[in-house]
Amino acid sequence: MAEKEAIEEAHSKLRFKLLREIRWSNRRDCEFPPKVRHYRKVVSPYYENSPPTKEEMEIMESCPKVDRENLEELLQEENFYLVMNWNQGSESGDEDVKSRRRIPWVPVLIYKPKESDNHKKRPAVVFLHDMNKNKEFFRPLLKAYASRGYIAVAVDACYHGERAMYTHAYRDVCDLMRLADYLTEREDIDPSRIGITGISLGGIHAWFAADNLNIL
């Protein structure tokens, strides 16, 4: 019993230390509000080991979509980077891989319904991938949620997808907090209805981010 309590106490101290570091980094990043840099669509997503299996893609495709003709034409896709320190990067958007490795930046993929009323606020859901995946893995899922009226969001975790060469470790939760700042400022998102979820590694990041943002 004493050993179990000691382990739980050690876990509690580790969690407290991690959240303290996250909050410190978050305050530091507030000096440089994130900027949006629109970028091209990723045609060939990078997978660290091998592409998703047929079964994995079938699971993504199985999420029910609204049955409407020309559904693809009714959805809008956004591809952009959230750049955390604009002063370090080139405003042209053409910086090379080496410079991007030095800049805290987050690749974002969004699917949403095309709106006739751009001021309508919708609920948003952020999806976080697991190990060896990327934001494009969620593309079928994002489309399904967007078809049902959500603004569906996915990002690349550190060392995955477009951030495979990223050199800033332990920033995923901080980046999600900055993403939350950005999403709450969008005119098409209801800030009181933003959810976050993830698979495996993404679930861990989602839990820490939600806890740090006090939305659990």
Side-chain angles (χ1 to χ4, degrees):
M1 188 67 179
E3 182 179 357
K4 181 179 179 181
E5 292 178 352
I7 293 174
E8 290 178 351
E9 182 180 359
H11 287 174
S12 178
K13 289 181 178 179
L14 179 61
R15 176 175 174 273
F16 173 79
K17 183 178 180 180
L18 175 60
L19 290 178
R20 184 181 61 187
E21 292 298 320
I22 289 171
R23 291 184 176 113
W24 177 85
S25 179
N26 183 49
R27 288 195 299 271
R28 179 187 60 190
D29 284 348
C30 286
E31 299 174 6
F32 305 99
K35 301 289 185 178
V36 174
R37 180 180 301 172
H38 292 280
Y39 216 65
R40 60 182 177 272
K41 177 179 179 179
V42 176
V43 178
S44 300
Y46 174 78
Y47 292 94
E48 184 176 356
N49 292 327
S50 59
T53 64
K54 179 181 178 181
E55 290 75 16
E56 288 176 318
M57 293 311 303
E58 287 177 349
I59 292 173
M60 288 293 105
E61 294 284 357
S62 67
C63 185
K65 301 180 179 67
V66 171
D67 187 14
R68 298 181 64 177
E69 292 185 7
N70 303 321
L71 178 60
E72 293 284 343
E73 298 178 7
L74 301 176
L75 303 179
Q76 181 177 342
E77 178 180 348
E78 296 183 21
N79 293 273
F80 59 88
Y81 298 149
L82 280 185
V83 183
M84 303 308 176
N85 189 341
W86 189 254
N87 294 331
Q88 292 184 18
S90 166
E91 295 190 11
S92 67
D94 297 326
E95 73 280 4
D96 59 21
V97 172
K98 289 184 178 180
S99 66
R100 283 191 290 168
R101 290 173 63 182
R102 297 192 299 268
I103 303 171
W105 58 289
V106 182
V108 182
L109 171 62
I110 289 180
Y111 272 94
K112 66 177 186 177
K114 288 183 179 178
E115 300 285 6
S116 56
D117 180 6
N118 293 327
H119 296 289
K120 183 175 182 179
K121 293 184 178 293
R122 292 184 174 274
V125 183
V126 179
F127 296 93
L128 306 178
H129 61 78
D130 53 340
M131 290 288 290
N132 304 321
K133 299 294 194 306
N134 50 50
K135 63 186 184 301
E136 281 73 29
F137 173 67
F138 280 128
R139 194 181 294 276
L141 191 64
L142 301 182
K143 291 181 180 180
Y145 270 76
S147 75
R148 295 183 175 276
Y150 289 86
I151 294 180
V153 185
V155 300
D156 283 331
C158 288
Y159 308 114
H160 294 77
E162 293 186 85
R163 303 171 89 188
M165 301 297 292
Y166 198 60
T167 58
H168 292 267
Y170 309 114
R171 284 197 49 92
D172 286 293
V173 177
C174 299
D175 292 340
L176 291 172
M177 294 171 68
R178 297 273 63 80
L179 175 65
D181 291 340
Y182 165 75
L183 294 178
T184 56
E185 294 297 324
R186 283 182 59 125
E187 293 185 355
D188 55 355
I189 290 180
D190 181 348
S192 66
R193 294 191 294 167
I194 299 177
I196 186 169
T197 187
I199 301 174
S200 189
L201 173 68
I204 296 173
H205 292 159
W207 188 90
F208 272 113
D211 184 57
N212 200 48
L213 291 166
N214 297 318
I215 60 175
L216 275 178

